[in-house]
Structures are given as C-alpha cells and as structure tokens.
Amino acid sequence: MSLLPVEDALERLLNAARPPERTESVPLHEACDRVLASDVLARLTQPPFDNSAMDGYALRHADILEVGTKLRIIGRSAAGHAFTGSVGPGEAVRIFTGAPMPAGADTVLLQEDTEKLDDDRIRTRFLPAFGRHIRPRGQDFTEGEAVLKRGDLLDAGRLTVGAAMNHPVLNVYARPKVALLATGDELVPPGSTLGASQIVASNSYGVAALAREAGAEVIDLGIAADEPNAILDAVEWAKACGADVLVTLGGASVGDLDLVQPVLLSAGMELDFWKIAMRPGKPLMVGRLGGMQILGLPGNPVSSMVCALLFLEPLVRRLARLPQPDRRTFAVAGARLAANDQRQDYVRAKVTAREDGALEATPFTKQDSSMMKLFAAADCLIVRPPLAEATEIGDPCEILLLRPPVRAL
C-alpha cells in the first residue's frame, strides 16, 4: 500500500464519518459548546409587557406639546413593582428601566429632560417623540417562536436566550464516544515502579485531552499487552460501550509484535488506508469495524500527538457537529530549513510576534519523535510540503498553531 498524502487521508477519514444521532437533555449550566438536537420554542413572550427602556417619567404624549409643560407625579413604577393605577391628563408616573408601563401612558420622558418642582410636580425641558423609550411587549420574541434551531452551537448568547425562554434544560446531540487503547508489554501507568525494559504510558493522556477538547466523551480502555486475546478483549469492551471511534496507540507498524492491525482485521475490520506520507506519523491506520471507526496512531509520543492533532481532532469535531478549528496561518522562518523529501514534515517550533506584526516561527534543533518535552514547548508546527525547497531565514512558511503566539510588548 503506497503512502497516502495527508490531505487525501484526512478527506477520506472525514467523508466516512457519520455523526451519531443520539441525543440527551442537559441543564443549561452544562450545555455550553453543545449542539442543539431540536428547535427550541419560547415558552413565554419577552418582554411580557410594555416596559420602559430608560429611567424617567411615563406620561401621555398629548400632554407635552410644548416645552415647559408642568405635570403632576401620581406614583412610581419599578422593576418588579408596577404602578397599578392609570395615567390621566396632566399626570406622570416616575418610572425606572425595565418597569411596566402604566395604563394610559404612551411615552417616557428622560429624567435628565425634566426639572423637578415642589409639590410632586415636574416641568418638561425637552419634547420626546411619541412612544419614545418604550420596549413593546414581544419585542424580543413571542411565545411559541423557534428562536434557537436544531444544529445551533450553544454559546453564551444562545444560552442566555434559552434561559430567557424559560428552558432549564436543552435537548442536545450526545458527545461522540472515543475509546482509547494503549498497547505494549513495555507500558505501565504513571506512578508505577518501573521494571526492566518498562516505560511510562503517556500518549493516552495527551490524546484523551485533545479528544475531550474537541467534544468527545472519552473511554479509557487501559493498556493491552502484546497478545491477540488482550487486544480482542479491549475491542469487545469498546463495542460494548458503544464507542463511535476506537483509537489505538502503538502496535500498528510492521514489526513482529505490531499486532493491532492483524487482530483488528481478524475481528472484521475493513481497512481503508494505512501509512501516510508524513513525518512524524507515517504508520497511521484508518478503518471501520461495524459502526465503529478505527484510528490507529503511532506509538512514538510526538508522532501520536501530531496524528491526533491532524486526524483525531477534526474527526471528533465532525462527529460532534462542531466547526473545525482554524489552526493554519503563515509566519516567517526564524531559522534555515533544509529541502524536504517525499513526506510532508511537521516541524516543532516556537512562535513570536514581531514588532511589525508578523509571526516568526523558529524550529527546534532536534526533532526526534520520542522527545515529548519539545512538543510540550512548541507553539506551532511548521508545515513542510513534500519536495519543498530549502527555506531561508525570513522566508514565508505555513504553520499550524498549537497555542496563541506570544506578542511583543
């Protein structure tokens, strides 16, 4: 099987993604960044009554046809405490923002446009237009109106209007389930006492965090030994949990102990593609086992994280019906980069924002795919297309941002 270009691999992966139709009801305070599974109808009319948009005086416009008109204050209307009487000729009601308009009044005169007189009277110093400073009943929405629609991403504004429509819970699409399985006799959990030839399993924690940030519910299947039945048991566990995606970490290359692919094929996996023209991360594997997509990531920590960033994150967001992240931008090279071979390179680098506003990406000297601390320190990945010519200092280059750049002061 020849090496597949990165763009073709991602397109095939996403085209095969089928967002789950499962839904659930969640309280408002847990609904941020979820996607609505049905329209949300207003349970009331907002505002429920005509109310004042400003602090001032509610009055009849017919009574203030000229500046200097005197009016008698007959009461007060505040939010939560409406004036229960009616405004007649020559009368006004002191009113505050959000308070119900009293019967008989049709205009609000701002408090700064009046002169307060003795004996509960005011004199006008300005003539507002008829109906000024009044929010009419239903100005925002009316009972039964579909204000929020199926497919809307719930953000701060949409959650606010959802609450205003008197909905304590909302019906949203369930998060896609991503099951993670690390493989290898050499792996032990963090905090273990390491034996001979053992290493700490680290990949699953970064991949799990990335999947959760992308909108997934993560199921940790633990570590499977390099033994077919152990891997098969974990696969059955993932199926029993209803996983939409099974992500394997390691064991997908061509060594004698790389058992993940043959075990999955024996279990019925349809292999879509294997091996990508990229560095790091060539041994990426993609397939399907029944209703579960399979994504086999390399075992090297940096290779695993780069592949998760390029393939797992967009896959999860597609399954979660969320917009894709916009990580791509351009910078100038802060160091020389040699000409590239047939594989697309992803070079770990630091990013700074120069005084002229341009971003500058400076690659680390070492790029070994086992060096996790450099990935943790990197702000971006410089994208080096296949057969790219050497890049000199100051030349433009494409980057994938891992975190916001540091701005020059």
Side-chain angles (χ1 to χ4, degrees):
M1 185 177 291
S2 61
L3 297 184
L4 194 63
V6 173
E7 291 75 13
D8 294 350
L10 180 59
E11 182 179 8
R12 285 170 62 167
L13 175 68
L14 297 184
N15 284 344
R18 300 291 179 265
E21 295 296 333
R22 302 184 303 272
T23 64
E24 59 185 359
S25 294
V26 298
L28 283 174
H29 67 274
E30 296 178 5
C32 189
D33 294 330
R34 303 297 295 272
V35 177
L36 281 174
S38 57
D39 293 352
V40 182
L41 308 184
R43 291 178 168 176
L44 47 75
T45 293
Q46 177 68 19
F49 42 76
D50 293 352
N51 70 88
S52 178
M54 303 291 285
D55 291 346
Y57 296 89
L59 44 76
R60 300 175 352 134
H61 190 264
D63 288 341
I64 54 167
L65 298 181
E66 59 182 26
V67 173
T69 301
K70 296 179 181 179
L71 301 170
R72 184 168 60 90
I73 302 171
I74 62 170
R76 181 176 184 271
S77 183
H81 302 279
F83 177 75
T84 57
S86 180
V87 177
E91 296 177 337
V93 168
R94 181 72 166 107
I95 197 166
F96 299 93
T97 303
M101 286 294 293
D106 55 29
T107 302
V108 171
L109 177 66
L110 298 184
Q111 62 184 24
E112 56 264 36
D113 292 334
T114 65
E115 179 186 357
K116 190 74 182 298
L117 304 175
D118 295 335
D119 301 326
D120 291 326
R121 291 183 303 154
I122 59 170
R123 179 159 49 206
T124 63
R125 298 195 299 188
F126 179 78
L127 299 180
F130 175 84
R132 193 79 170 103
H133 305 307
I134 295 176
R135 299 185 183 120
R137 180 179 186 273
Q139 174 180 269
D140 197 352
F141 51 79
T142 58
E143 184 175 358
E145 181 181 347
V147 178
L148 301 178
K149 302 297 181 65
R150 181 174 66 90
D152 281 350
L153 175 62
L154 291 169
D155 56 14
R158 287 168 175 162
L159 287 173
T160 299
V161 77
M165 291 190 294
N166 204 25
H167 286 273
V169 299
L170 295 172
N171 184 39
V172 299
Y173 286 107
R175 300 185 189 276
K177 295 182 179 181
V178 174
L180 295 183
L181 174 64
T183 64
D185 289 343
E186 75 280 13
L187 299 179
V188 294
S192 301
T193 300
L194 274 64
S197 304
Q198 289 185 321
I199 61 173
V200 175
S202 58
N203 302 14
S204 56
Y205 296 92
V207 173
L210 187 146
R212 288 191 185 96
E213 289 173 359
E217 174 189 340
V218 175
I219 303 165
D220 186 2
L221 302 178
I223 302 169
D226 289 322
E227 199 278 318
N229 286 335
I231 298 173
L232 279 174
D233 287 345
V235 172
E236 291 302 314
W237 183 10
K239 291 163 63 176
C241 291
D244 301 293
V245 182
L246 170 61
V247 178
T248 60
L249 305 172
S253 192
V254 294
D256 292 341
L257 296 180
D258 289 316
L259 302 177
V260 170
Q261 185 178 138
V263 168
L264 286 170
L265 288 171
S266 71
M269 179 186 74
E270 299 175 9
L271 181 63
D272 185 1
F273 57 87
W274 177 42
K275 295 185 179 180
I276 313 298
M278 61 182 288
R279 181 190 300 108
K282 183 181 76 170
L284 182 84
M285 178 186 69
V286 169
R288 179 172 289 277
L289 180 58
M292 186 166 60
Q293 281 188 275
I294 306 294
L295 185 60
L297 303 184
N300 276 334
V302 175
S303 301
S304 180
M305 287 303 298
V306 170
C307 286
L309 185 75
L310 295 177
F311 296 97
L312 179 59
E313 181 182 52
L315 173 61
V316 169
R317 296 185 76 85
R318 173 67 60 87
L319 295 174
R321 297 175 170 83
L322 296 174
Q324 295 295 344
D326 185 15
R327 297 184 180 274
R328 290 182 178 268
T329 188
F330 289 89
V332 295
R336 188 180 189 277
L337 291 162
N340 200 15
D341 60 13
Q342 290 86 358
R343 284 196 277 168
Q344 185 151 296
D345 254 349
Y346 293 90
V347 181
R348 284 158 282 169
K350 294 293 290 183
V351 172
T352 55
R354 305 191 314 186
E355 290 185 0
D356 63 3
L359 297 180
E360 183 176 87
T362 303
F364 294 113
T365 304
K366 296 181 179 180
Q367 292 290 326
D368 189 280
S369 62
S370 68
M371 299 183 67
M372 291 169 278
K373 73 176 184 180
L374 294 186
F375 186 86
D379 302 313
C380 76
L381 301 175
I382 300 175
V383 182
R384 302 281 292 148
L387 305 178
E389 297 180 356
T391 299
E392 304 297 336
I393 295 175
D395 284 351
C397 58
E398 182 182 353
I399 63 173
L400 296 179
L401 284 174
L402 302 178
R403 58 178 60 89
V406 176
R407 296 287 174 184
L409 298 178

